Amino acid sequence: MADPNKQSEPNIDQLYNQRKANNLAPRSIKKYILSKREQTINPQKVIQKIGFIAATACTLVLFGLISVYQIQSSEPTLEANFVTIHTLNQNTSLLTNQRSVINQKYTQAYQAYLKQQRYFAQHHLKQASLEFVENGWRLKTCEDDPLLISNELITALSNINQVDQTLASGDVVNIAFAQNGIVLSINSSSKPLVCT
């Protein structure tokens, strides 16, 4: 004879699964259970996080050591070449004459440079009196030839920091010109405008 309890067990399991499928648990219970599961400390996750932090720290230390080594190894080495003039001739006056010729040429070139600088300062810098007008600036020089500066030129010079931003009407300014007559900069002058 068969045991009646064993025959009913599959029926009970089927009924339980069927009832469970029909009556689902509320979402709030599912969320609560999942959140509790996430809040529990998992030793594997802790070990993974510690391993990740250790790997990151080792990488940073390695990069630091490499950069320090590169900085130390890239220091420039100084090399110097010494040139000594040897002659078979005991006459050192020839060398002295050559040195004096070189010094004289250097002095002449330097004097020409200074003369060019003075010429540039005389012919390419002018003082003028500043007056604001509705479409720009009017600059009057001692020669009484007014120079009109448009707002577009003022803006362009301001963008490249070639115009003094603190200028007011009536100020004395220095105007720098290029060799072709283009205005390069307008700055306030510390000297008064003296016309003779």
Side-chain angles (χ1 to χ4, degrees):
M1 196 163 127
D3 191 13
N5 289 337
K6 287 190 178 182
Q7 288 178 352
S8 65
E9 282 183 21
N11 290 336
I12 291 176
D13 287 338
Q14 287 175 352
L15 289 174
Y16 174 75
N17 287 334
Q18 184 180 7
R19 183 171 172 103
K20 185 177 174 182
N22 290 339
N23 299 321
L24 297 175
R27 296 188 116 202
S28 61
I29 294 175
K30 285 182 181 179
K31 285 183 183 179
Y32 176 75
I33 291 172
L34 291 174
S35 68
K36 284 295 183 183
R37 183 175 179 202
E38 289 176 0
Q39 289 176 359
T40 59
I41 298 174
N42 188 352
Q44 289 178 340
K45 286 186 179 181
V46 172
I47 292 172
Q48 285 178 346
K49 286 182 181 180
I50 291 173
F52 177 73
I53 291 171
T56 305
C58 288
T59 305
L60 290 175
V61 168
L62 180 66
F63 282 135
L65 291 174
I66 289 172
S67 65
V68 167
Y69 175 74
Q70 286 179 346
I71 289 172
Q72 288 176 350
S73 66
S74 68
E75 289 181 10
T77 57
L78 298 176
E79 293 182 16
N81 295 327
F82 293 100
V83 177
T84 307
I85 301 174
H86 296 282
T87 63
L88 298 175
N89 189 357
Q90 294 297 330
N91 187 4
T92 57
S93 65
L94 179 64
L95 290 175
T96 309
N97 287 341
Q98 287 176 346
R99 284 187 189 141
S100 66
V101 168
I102 290 172
N103 286 340
Q104 187 178 17
K105 285 183 179 179
Y106 173 76
T107 305
Q108 288 174 350
Y110 185 67
Q111 292 299 327
Y113 169 74
L114 291 177
K115 184 179 178 182
Q116 180 184 11
Q117 289 295 95
R118 284 192 298 270
Y119 176 78
F120 178 78
Q122 286 177 346
H123 295 285
H124 298 291
L125 284 176
K126 285 191 177 181
Q127 275 192 325
S129 174
L130 173 69
E131 180 183 334
F132 293 132
V133 292
E134 68 181 56
N135 57 353
W137 294 352
R138 179 182 298 148
L139 302 171
K140 284 191 176 181
T141 61
C142 285
E143 292 84 27
D144 202 29
D145 51 340
L147 178 66
L148 295 175
I149 307 290
S150 68
N151 287 327
E152 291 83 15
L153 180 59
I154 295 167
T155 304
L157 290 173
S158 295
N159 288 340
I160 58 173
N161 297 325
Q162 294 300 317
V163 173
D164 192 354
Q165 300 295 327
T166 61
L167 295 175
S169 189
D171 285 350
V172 176
V173 294
N174 288 328
I175 312 165
F177 294 98
Q179 289 180 349
N180 57 2
I182 295 174
V183 175
L184 296 176
S185 68
I186 302 172
N187 295 314
S188 63
S189 174
S190 59
K191 298 178 184 177
L193 181 64
V194 178
C195 297
T196 57

